[in-house]
Amino acid sequence: QVQLLESGGGLVQAVGSLRLSCVASGRIDGEHAMAWFRQAPGKERVFVAGITWSGATRYNTDSVKGRFTISRDIAKTTVYLQMSGLKPDDSAIYYCTRARYSLVSQDLGAYNYWGQGTQVTVYS
């Protein structure tokens, strides 16, 4: 079993910044990619960014357009999502997730462990 615990969400004014953290515990073997998804009210959960344990990254470029950066600290088994230039459209619950495999995918079904989520609200 793997447990994922997100933190760092909150209320922020537009163009502000937040850093989300996700601490992984349990059976961590360094062979699975990690990612962030988000879900706004009434909308589907969508891929935001992902990272392999070797450090390769992938982004949903349409939505984040260089404003978000995903990183990881292997020693702390923690994945971060640095968000800057936030917009009201970024408001959502952000979920940390672990992939079934080592590569990052934008497909929801490629992930089998999920955190509880952390709320991000951006106001103008």
Side-chain angles (χ1 to χ4, degrees):
Q1 285 290 332
V2 173
Q3 295 79 42
L4 303 173
L5 182 62
E6 304 102 331
S7 63
L11 182 66
V12 63
Q13 192 170 19
V15 307
S17 300
L18 281 175
R19 188 177 80 158
L20 306 183
S21 299
C22 171
V23 179
S25 59
R27 295 185 60 185
I28 306 299
D29 55 18
E31 295 181 355
H32 300 266
M34 301 287 292
W36 290 93
F37 280 69
R38 69 185 184 185
Q39 187 169 19
K43 296 187 177 180
E44 295 182 348
R45 192 172 298 189
V46 297
F47 175 82
V48 175
I51 188 168
T52 67
W53 282 113
S54 65
T57 59
R58 185 176 179 181
Y59 295 92
N60 183 336
T61 54
D62 288 344
S63 62
V64 302
K65 294 182 179 179
R67 298 181 297 121
F68 293 6
T69 302
I70 189 170
S71 61
R72 83 281 183 266
D73 183 325
I74 295 176
K76 296 180 180 179
T77 63
T78 301
V79 177
Y80 304 98
L81 185 67
Q82 178 67 48
M83 306 185 294
S84 59
L86 284 163
K87 307 173 183 179
D89 284 349
D90 294 317
S91 297
I93 298 175
Y94 283 71
Y95 295 93
C96 175
T97 181
R98 196 199 78 164
R100 300 176 189 272
Y101 312 110
S102 61
L103 298 179
V104 175
S105 170
Q106 297 196 38
D107 182 3
L108 202 69
Y111 298 86
N112 57 349
Y113 288 102
W114 295 84
Q116 296 288 331
T118 184
Q119 177 72 50
V120 172
T121 304
V122 185
Y123 64 94
S124 58

